[in-house]
Amino acid sequence: MFSKIIFSTVLFFSALSFAQNKTANTVLMGGKPVHTYAKLPSVNKAAPKFTLTDVSMKDQTLDSYKGKFMILNIFPSVDTGVCSASVRHFNEDAANLPNTVVLCISKDLPFAQKRFCGAEGIKNVVMLSDFRSDFGKVYGVELTDSVMKGLLSRAVVVIDPSGKIVYEEQVADISQEPNYDAAIKAVKN
């Protein structure tokens, strides 16, 4: 009996400690607060590994793009106005950036991403889906509440060719576009 009490107490404090280490982040959605799983990974740290699915249903990893600048354009769904605008904007910017790849990441199925790119003439970005991975939690961008629970918040992360994060932006309100100029400047510095 005594050992069960000790075990329960240890388990409780371990869970409490884990919960306190997970730092939720508050963003806005149309002016109303919603929460992400955690904060974005910090600048000057190694980018966390990931595996995402491309429009051909093949796995792509962080190492797939090693040696290039990576702009991670993260958003809820390509089927919304602001999200599709960010893909179009980065598609134009990516055409002029040497040694740079723009990875557009959402929970959309690869089929929907491929359809969107075909309809919009998108050719300069790589569409990647988080529909079967833990990217949203690893990068802290998965929404944990609201009608958008489970989708990704709007964020941009820039990773240099060595794999280090050189810029990050958690967009304060999901209904707004990211700071494109700051992301592009991070690649050019």
Side-chain angles (χ1 to χ4, degrees), residues 26-58:
T26 301
V27 295
L28 300 175
M29 184 172 65
K32 296 181 180 176
V34 295
H35 301 94
T36 63
Y37 186 76
K39 293 187 185 285
L40 286 170
S42 300
V43 171
N44 295 322
K45 301 283 184 183
K49 303 269 186 205
F50 61 76
T51 300
L52 296 162
T53 306
D54 69 17
V55 297
S56 306
M57 299 299 288
K58 294 181 182 162

mmCIF file of all heavy atoms in Angstrom, residues 26-58:
data_model
loop_
_atom_site.group_PDB
_atom_site.id
_atom_site.type_symbol
_atom_site.label_atom_id
_atom_site.label_comp_id
_atom_site.label_asym_id
_atom_site.label_seq_id
_atom_site.Cartn_x
_atom_site.Cartn_y
_atom_site.Cartn_z
ATOM 1 N N THR A 26 0.225 31.739 -26.704
ATOM 2 C CA THR A 26 -1.065 32.304 -27.084
ATOM 3 C C THR A 26 -0.898 33.146 -28.331
ATOM 4 O O THR A 26 -0.006 33.993 -28.410
ATOM 5 C CB THR A 26 -1.636 33.178 -25.948
ATOM 6 O OG1 THR A 26 -1.773 32.379 -24.773
ATOM 7 C CG2 THR A 26 -2.988 33.744 -26.327
ATOM 8 N N VAL A 27 -1.747 32.888 -29.316
ATOM 9 C CA VAL A 27 -1.827 33.704 -30.518
ATOM 10 C C VAL A 27 -3.292 34.112 -30.669
ATOM 11 O O VAL A 27 -4.134 33.681 -29.888
ATOM 12 C CB VAL A 27 -1.324 32.949 -31.771
ATOM 13 C CG1 VAL A 27 0.160 32.635 -31.666
ATOM 14 C CG2 VAL A 27 -2.106 31.681 -32.026
ATOM 15 N N LEU A 28 -3.568 34.915 -31.654
ATOM 16 C CA LEU A 28 -4.943 35.338 -31.887
ATOM 17 C C LEU A 28 -5.468 34.737 -33.184
ATOM 18 O O LEU A 28 -4.714 34.480 -34.107
ATOM 19 C CB LEU A 28 -5.023 36.865 -31.952
ATOM 20 C CG LEU A 28 -4.559 37.620 -30.709
ATOM 21 C CD1 LEU A 28 -4.566 39.121 -30.957
ATOM 22 C CD2 LEU A 28 -5.413 37.263 -29.499
ATOM 23 N N MET A 29 -6.766 34.545 -33.212
ATOM 24 C CA MET A 29 -7.443 34.112 -34.423
ATOM 25 C C MET A 29 -8.620 35.061 -34.597
ATOM 26 O O MET A 29 -9.614 34.956 -33.869
ATOM 27 C CB MET A 29 -7.911 32.662 -34.312
ATOM 28 C CG MET A 29 -8.539 32.144 -35.597
ATOM 29 S SD MET A 29 -8.891 30.374 -35.554
ATOM 30 C CE MET A 29 -10.142 30.289 -34.283
ATOM 31 N N GLY A 30 -8.460 36.033 -35.491
ATOM 32 C CA GLY A 30 -9.499 37.041 -35.640
ATOM 33 C C GLY A 30 -9.700 37.849 -34.378
ATOM 34 O O GLY A 30 -10.814 38.238 -34.059
ATOM 35 N N GLY A 31 -8.625 38.061 -33.617
ATOM 36 C CA GLY A 31 -8.689 38.849 -32.394
ATOM 37 C C GLY A 31 -8.989 38.060 -31.133
ATOM 38 O O GLY A 31 -8.909 38.596 -30.039
ATOM 39 N N LYS A 32 -9.354 36.775 -31.271
ATOM 40 C CA LYS A 32 -9.659 35.945 -30.100
ATOM 41 C C LYS A 32 -8.473 35.045 -29.772
ATOM 42 O O LYS A 32 -7.875 34.447 -30.663
ATOM 43 C CB LYS A 32 -10.896 35.094 -30.366
ATOM 44 C CG LYS A 32 -12.139 35.927 -30.557
ATOM 45 C CD LYS A 32 -13.346 35.067 -30.784
ATOM 46 C CE LYS A 32 -14.566 35.971 -30.975
ATOM 47 N NZ LYS A 32 -15.747 35.234 -31.294
ATOM 48 N N PRO A 33 -8.124 34.895 -28.484
ATOM 49 C CA PRO A 33 -6.970 34.079 -28.112
ATOM 50 C C PRO A 33 -7.183 32.581 -28.379
ATOM 51 O O PRO A 33 -8.251 32.041 -28.113
ATOM 52 C CB PRO A 33 -6.802 34.326 -26.610
ATOM 53 C CG PRO A 33 -7.900 35.215 -26.188
ATOM 54 C CD PRO A 33 -8.753 35.546 -27.348
ATOM 55 N N VAL A 34 -6.157 31.978 -28.955
ATOM 56 C CA VAL A 34 -6.066 30.525 -29.128
ATOM 57 C C VAL A 34 -4.650 30.131 -28.723
ATOM 58 O O VAL A 34 -3.775 30.988 -28.598
ATOM 59 C CB VAL A 34 -6.388 30.072 -30.568
ATOM 60 C CG1 VAL A 34 -7.830 30.356 -30.937
ATOM 61 C CG2 VAL A 34 -5.454 30.698 -31.580
ATOM 62 N N HIS A 35 -4.429 28.852 -28.532
ATOM 63 C CA HIS A 35 -3.136 28.419 -28.010
ATOM 64 C C HIS A 35 -2.460 27.415 -28.933
ATOM 65 O O HIS A 35 -3.128 26.580 -29.541
ATOM 66 C CB HIS A 35 -3.324 27.809 -26.614
ATOM 67 C CG HIS A 35 -3.926 28.781 -25.665
ATOM 68 N ND1 HIS A 35 -5.282 28.845 -25.437
ATOM 69 C CD2 HIS A 35 -3.368 29.765 -24.938
ATOM 70 C CE1 HIS A 35 -5.530 29.825 -24.588
ATOM 71 N NE2 HIS A 35 -4.390 30.401 -24.269
ATOM 72 N N THR A 36 -1.140 27.529 -28.973
ATOM 73 C CA THR A 36 -0.334 26.544 -29.682
ATOM 74 C C THR A 36 0.302 25.609 -28.663
ATOM 75 O O THR A 36 0.355 25.923 -27.467
ATOM 76 C CB THR A 36 0.773 27.207 -30.532
ATOM 77 O OG1 THR A 36 1.667 27.911 -29.670
ATOM 78 C CG2 THR A 36 0.191 28.141 -31.576
ATOM 79 N N TYR A 37 0.807 24.503 -29.150
ATOM 80 C CA TYR A 37 1.384 23.479 -28.298
ATOM 81 C C TYR A 37 2.545 24.021 -27.467
ATOM 82 O O TYR A 37 2.698 23.684 -26.304
ATOM 83 C CB TYR A 37 1.842 22.306 -29.171
ATOM 84 C CG TYR A 37 2.324 21.131 -28.392
ATOM 85 C CD1 TYR A 37 1.435 20.280 -27.755
ATOM 86 C CD2 TYR A 37 3.680 20.857 -28.289
ATOM 87 C CE1 TYR A 37 1.877 19.201 -27.029
ATOM 88 C CE2 TYR A 37 4.126 19.770 -27.564
ATOM 89 C CZ TYR A 37 3.227 18.941 -26.939
ATOM 90 O OH TYR A 37 3.664 17.878 -26.218
ATOM 91 N N ALA A 38 3.368 24.870 -28.075
ATOM 92 C CA ALA A 38 4.535 25.433 -27.381
ATOM 93 C C ALA A 38 5.010 26.651 -28.162
ATOM 94 O O ALA A 38 4.385 27.052 -29.139
ATOM 95 C CB ALA A 38 5.651 24.394 -27.282
ATOM 96 N N LYS A 39 6.111 27.210 -27.747
ATOM 97 C CA LYS A 39 6.714 28.310 -28.486
ATOM 98 C C LYS A 39 7.566 27.728 -29.615
ATOM 99 O O LYS A 39 7.970 26.570 -29.566
ATOM 100 C CB LYS A 39 7.580 29.156 -27.558
ATOM 101 C CG LYS A 39 6.755 29.893 -26.517
ATOM 102 C CD LYS A 39 7.617 30.857 -25.729
ATOM 103 C CE LYS A 39 6.857 31.502 -24.612
ATOM 104 N NZ LYS A 39 5.938 32.525 -24.974
ATOM 105 N N LEU A 40 7.844 28.546 -30.627
ATOM 106 C CA LEU A 40 8.711 28.117 -31.719
ATOM 107 C C LEU A 40 10.114 27.814 -31.198
ATOM 108 O O LEU A 40 10.537 28.386 -30.187
ATOM 109 C CB LEU A 40 8.820 29.231 -32.769
ATOM 110 C CG LEU A 40 7.622 29.457 -33.669
ATOM 111 C CD1 LEU A 40 7.805 30.736 -34.481
ATOM 112 C CD2 LEU A 40 7.412 28.278 -34.590
ATOM 113 N N PRO A 41 10.845 26.957 -31.885
ATOM 114 C CA PRO A 41 12.252 26.739 -31.510
ATOM 115 C C PRO A 41 13.019 28.061 -31.597
ATOM 116 O O PRO A 41 12.707 28.914 -32.429
ATOM 117 C CB PRO A 41 12.750 25.744 -32.564
ATOM 118 C CG PRO A 41 11.530 25.129 -33.150
ATOM 119 C CD PRO A 41 10.441 26.152 -33.030
ATOM 120 N N SER A 42 14.009 28.218 -30.761
ATOM 121 C CA SER A 42 14.744 29.482 -30.642
ATOM 122 C C SER A 42 15.757 29.702 -31.753
ATOM 123 O O SER A 42 16.362 28.763 -32.267
ATOM 124 C CB SER A 42 15.495 29.523 -29.308
ATOM 125 O OG SER A 42 14.594 29.416 -28.245
ATOM 126 N N VAL A 43 15.969 30.975 -32.057
ATOM 127 C CA VAL A 43 17.019 31.384 -32.980
ATOM 128 C C VAL A 43 18.369 30.979 -32.393
ATOM 129 O O VAL A 43 18.555 30.955 -31.176
ATOM 130 C CB VAL A 43 16.942 32.920 -33.219
ATOM 131 C CG1 VAL A 43 18.150 33.436 -34.002
ATOM 132 C CG2 VAL A 43 15.655 33.268 -33.943
ATOM 133 N N ASN A 44 19.301 30.648 -33.258
ATOM 134 C CA ASN A 44 20.665 30.220 -32.918
ATOM 135 C C ASN A 44 20.734 28.803 -32.369
ATOM 136 O O ASN A 44 21.773 28.387 -31.875
ATOM 137 C CB ASN A 44 21.373 31.199 -31.969
ATOM 138 C CG ASN A 44 21.598 32.545 -32.613
ATOM 139 O OD1 ASN A 44 21.908 32.624 -33.807
ATOM 140 N ND2 ASN A 44 21.398 33.607 -31.858
ATOM 141 N N LYS A 45 19.640 28.063 -32.437
ATOM 142 C CA LYS A 45 19.616 26.661 -32.033
ATOM 143 C C LYS A 45 19.525 25.797 -33.292
ATOM 144 O O LYS A 45 19.065 26.249 -34.343
ATOM 145 C CB LYS A 45 18.416 26.356 -31.127
ATOM 146 C CG LYS A 45 18.367 27.168 -29.859
ATOM 147 C CD LYS A 45 19.338 26.636 -28.857
ATOM 148 C CE LYS A 45 19.184 27.432 -27.563
ATOM 149 N NZ LYS A 45 20.079 27.073 -26.551
ATOM 150 N N ALA A 46 19.913 24.544 -33.163
ATOM 151 C CA ALA A 46 19.768 23.605 -34.282
ATOM 152 C C ALA A 46 18.280 23.383 -34.543
ATOM 153 O O ALA A 46 17.490 23.250 -33.608
ATOM 154 C CB ALA A 46 20.452 22.285 -33.951
ATOM 155 N N ALA A 47 17.912 23.358 -35.802
ATOM 156 C CA ALA A 47 16.507 23.124 -36.169
ATOM 157 C C ALA A 47 16.126 21.693 -35.803
ATOM 158 O O ALA A 47 16.878 20.757 -36.097
ATOM 159 C CB ALA A 47 16.310 23.347 -37.657
ATOM 160 N N PRO A 48 14.987 21.503 -35.161
ATOM 161 C CA PRO A 48 14.537 20.141 -34.844
ATOM 162 C C PRO A 48 14.299 19.334 -36.127
ATOM 163 O O PRO A 48 13.840 19.863 -37.137
ATOM 164 C CB PRO A 48 13.215 20.363 -34.103
ATOM 165 C CG PRO A 48 13.265 21.768 -33.608
ATOM 166 C CD PRO A 48 14.070 22.519 -34.621
ATOM 167 N N LYS A 49 14.620 18.077 -36.067
ATOM 168 C CA LYS A 49 14.405 17.157 -37.198
ATOM 169 C C LYS A 49 12.909 17.028 -37.460
ATOM 170 O O LYS A 49 12.098 17.151 -36.554
ATOM 171 C CB LYS A 49 14.983 15.777 -36.892
ATOM 172 C CG LYS A 49 16.461 15.788 -36.551
ATOM 173 C CD LYS A 49 17.283 15.610 -37.764
ATOM 174 C CE LYS A 49 18.751 15.471 -37.364
ATOM 175 N NZ LYS A 49 19.630 15.855 -38.398
ATOM 176 N N PHE A 50 12.562 16.752 -38.706
ATOM 177 C CA PHE A 50 11.171 16.505 -39.065
ATOM 178 C C PHE A 50 11.091 15.549 -40.242
ATOM 179 O O PHE A 50 12.053 15.386 -40.986
ATOM 180 C CB PHE A 50 10.414 17.800 -39.380
ATOM 181 C CG PHE A 50 10.966 18.591 -40.542
ATOM 182 C CD1 PHE A 50 10.745 18.197 -41.851
ATOM 183 C CD2 PHE A 50 11.686 19.756 -40.317
ATOM 184 C CE1 PHE A 50 11.240 18.934 -42.923
ATOM 185 C CE2 PHE A 50 12.179 20.505 -41.374
ATOM 186 C CZ PHE A 50 11.955 20.089 -42.683
ATOM 187 N N THR A 51 9.938 14.929 -40.365
ATOM 188 C CA THR A 51 9.590 14.130 -41.539
ATOM 189 C C THR A 51 8.192 14.558 -41.953
ATOM 190 O O THR A 51 7.258 14.491 -41.160
ATOM 191 C CB THR A 51 9.607 12.618 -41.233
ATOM 192 O OG1 THR A 51 10.920 12.248 -40.796
ATOM 193 C CG2 THR A 51 9.235 11.802 -42.465
ATOM 194 N N LEU A 52 8.068 15.019 -43.191
ATOM 195 C CA LEU A 52 6.795 15.480 -43.732
ATOM 196 C C LEU A 52 6.545 14.767 -45.055
ATOM 197 O O LEU A 52 7.452 14.154 -45.614
ATOM 198 C CB LEU A 52 6.829 16.997 -43.928
ATOM 199 C CG LEU A 52 6.969 17.809 -42.638
ATOM 200 C CD1 LEU A 52 7.426 19.233 -42.920
ATOM 201 C CD2 LEU A 52 5.662 17.814 -41.872
ATOM 202 N N THR A 53 5.343 14.862 -45.576
ATOM 203 C CA THR A 53 4.961 14.157 -46.792
ATOM 204 C C THR A 53 4.790 15.147 -47.934
ATOM 205 O O THR A 53 4.065 16.134 -47.796
ATOM 206 C CB THR A 53 3.639 13.392 -46.565
ATOM 207 O OG1 THR A 53 3.789 12.558 -45.410
ATOM 208 C CG2 THR A 53 3.295 12.528 -47.757
ATOM 209 N N ASP A 54 5.447 14.873 -49.075
ATOM 210 C CA ASP A 54 5.319 15.767 -50.222
ATOM 211 C C ASP A 54 4.114 15.386 -51.079
ATOM 212 O O ASP A 54 3.395 14.430 -50.767
ATOM 213 C CB ASP A 54 6.622 15.822 -51.028
ATOM 214 C CG ASP A 54 6.973 14.544 -51.775
ATOM 215 O OD1 ASP A 54 6.094 13.662 -51.968
ATOM 216 O OD2 ASP A 54 8.140 14.418 -52.191
ATOM 217 N N VAL A 55 3.881 16.106 -52.158
ATOM 218 C CA VAL A 55 2.690 15.882 -52.980
ATOM 219 C C VAL A 55 2.736 14.551 -53.738
ATOM 220 O O VAL A 55 1.729 14.123 -54.292
ATOM 221 C CB VAL A 55 2.431 17.052 -53.961
ATOM 222 C CG1 VAL A 55 2.140 18.333 -53.184
ATOM 223 C CG2 VAL A 55 3.573 17.242 -54.933
ATOM 224 N N SER A 56 3.896 13.886 -53.739
ATOM 225 C CA SER A 56 4.017 12.555 -54.351
ATOM 226 C C SER A 56 3.859 11.451 -53.311
ATOM 227 O O SER A 56 4.127 10.291 -53.606
ATOM 228 C CB SER A 56 5.384 12.400 -55.022
ATOM 229 O OG SER A 56 5.625 13.425 -55.924
ATOM 230 N N MET A 57 3.500 11.846 -52.075
ATOM 231 C CA MET A 57 3.328 10.922 -50.946
ATOM 232 C C MET A 57 4.659 10.330 -50.465
ATOM 233 O O MET A 57 4.689 9.301 -49.821
ATOM 234 C CB MET A 57 2.332 9.801 -51.276
ATOM 235 C CG MET A 57 0.933 10.290 -51.602
ATOM 236 S SD MET A 57 0.165 11.183 -50.226
ATOM 237 C CE MET A 57 -0.164 9.858 -49.095
ATOM 238 N N LYS A 58 5.762 11.007 -50.769
ATOM 239 C CA LYS A 58 7.085 10.572 -50.316
ATOM 240 C C LYS A 58 7.481 11.385 -49.087
ATOM 241 O O LYS A 58 7.153 12.567 -48.970
ATOM 242 C CB LYS A 58 8.125 10.757 -51.416
ATOM 243 C CG LYS A 58 7.890 9.853 -52.605
ATOM 244 C CD LYS A 58 8.951 10.059 -53.653
ATOM 245 C CE LYS A 58 8.629 9.171 -54.843
ATOM 246 N NZ LYS A 58 9.322 9.596 -56.036
#
